[in-house]
Amino acid sequence: HKLYVLRYFACEALCLINILLQLWMMNSFFDGEFYSYGWKVMKFSEQSQEQRVDPMVYVFPRVTKCIFYKFGASGTIQKHDSLCILPLNIVNEKTYIFIWFWFIILAAMLSGLMIYRAMIIFMPSFRVRLLNTINRMVPREAAEAISQKTDLGDWWIIYMLGGNLDPPIFKDVVAELAKQIEPPHKNGKHIL
């Protein structure tokens, strides 16, 4: 099951790459303003009313100059300059501040998950603790035997079983599996 677990972890890594790529593309689309957009909005809300310069206006202008052409009284086309309000940009600035926070939260959580997965891969002693954490009824000796004698893929399947089985049943499965994996000690006793 080693290939299965590597594919599983690779899919999680692809999620992190996807979020980082989306952050980069949004930043490119908004001319380098998206990376700092949320920070600027948070600083904006902390400033006094007299010193405020809304950072959202730079990215999503609310007012623009409009030119209207219409027929005059003599039938000629007249040009009228005026200011137009862009109500959709008011909605867009709120939407993209939510998207910014969502992307930052997802990127932080997925980065933490990648560190967690690296600990699972490179620290076999951490796997023992995880088996005990998922079910406190599992004896530490049995968790050590399974973590040391199985490869990462097989351990992952056992770990996933622990999250889906009732604790007493999982304890029995792990105990039986540990008996089959671990040979008897020199004094003739099993580890359990």
Side-chain angles (χ1 to χ4, degrees), residues 83 89 94 135 176 183:
L83 289 177
N89 275 0
K94 308 299 187 274
N135 187 344
E176 187 62 35

Side-chain angles (χ1 to χ4, degrees), residues 72-85:
S74 66
T76 60
I77 296 179
Q78 295 178 341
K79 180 175 133 179
H80 292 282
D81 287 338
S82 62
L83 289 177
C84 294
I85 296 175

Side-chain angles (χ1 to χ4, degrees), residues 56-184:
M56 294 182 281
V57 173
Y58 294 117
V59 181
F60 299 105
R62 297 176 192 148
V63 179
T64 187
K65 178 183 174 196
C66 297
I67 299 173
F68 292 104
Y69 297 99
K70 65 180 193 175
F71 291 101
S74 66
T76 60
I77 296 179
Q78 295 178 341
K79 180 175 133 179
H80 292 282
D81 287 338
S82 62
L83 289 177
C84 294
I85 296 175
L86 304 171
L88 189 57
N89 275 0
I90 296 170
V91 174
N92 284 342
E93 70 185 20
K94 308 299 187 274
T95 303
Y96 279 95
I97 192 65
F98 172 77
I99 289 172
W100 185 87
F101 279 107
W102 181 246
F103 281 178
I104 295 299
I105 289 168
L106 283 177
M109 290 176 67
L110 286 167
S111 297
L113 181 66
M114 290 298 103
I115 293 169
Y116 176 70
R117 295 299 186 220
M119 290 172 64
I120 289 173
I121 292 170
F122 298 115
M123 296 173 57
S125 62
F126 186 64
R127 296 180 207 161
V128 175
R129 289 186 183 176
L130 284 177
L131 279 181
N132 275 358
T133 303
I134 200 166
N135 187 344
R136 299 267 181 215
M137 298 171 68
V138 173
R140 184 149 180 94
E141 296 83 19
E144 286 176 359
I146 288 175
S147 297
Q148 292 172 357
K149 300 291 182 180
T150 59
D151 69 349
L152 179 63
D154 294 335
W155 178 87
W156 181 254
I157 296 295
I158 295 166
Y159 179 74
M160 295 302 282
L161 277 174
N164 294 306
L165 289 176
D166 289 332
I169 295 172
F170 182 65
K171 178 190 137 257
D172 294 340
V173 167
V174 169
E176 187 62 35
L177 187 60
K179 284 180 188 176
Q180 292 178 7
I181 290 175
E182 187 71 27

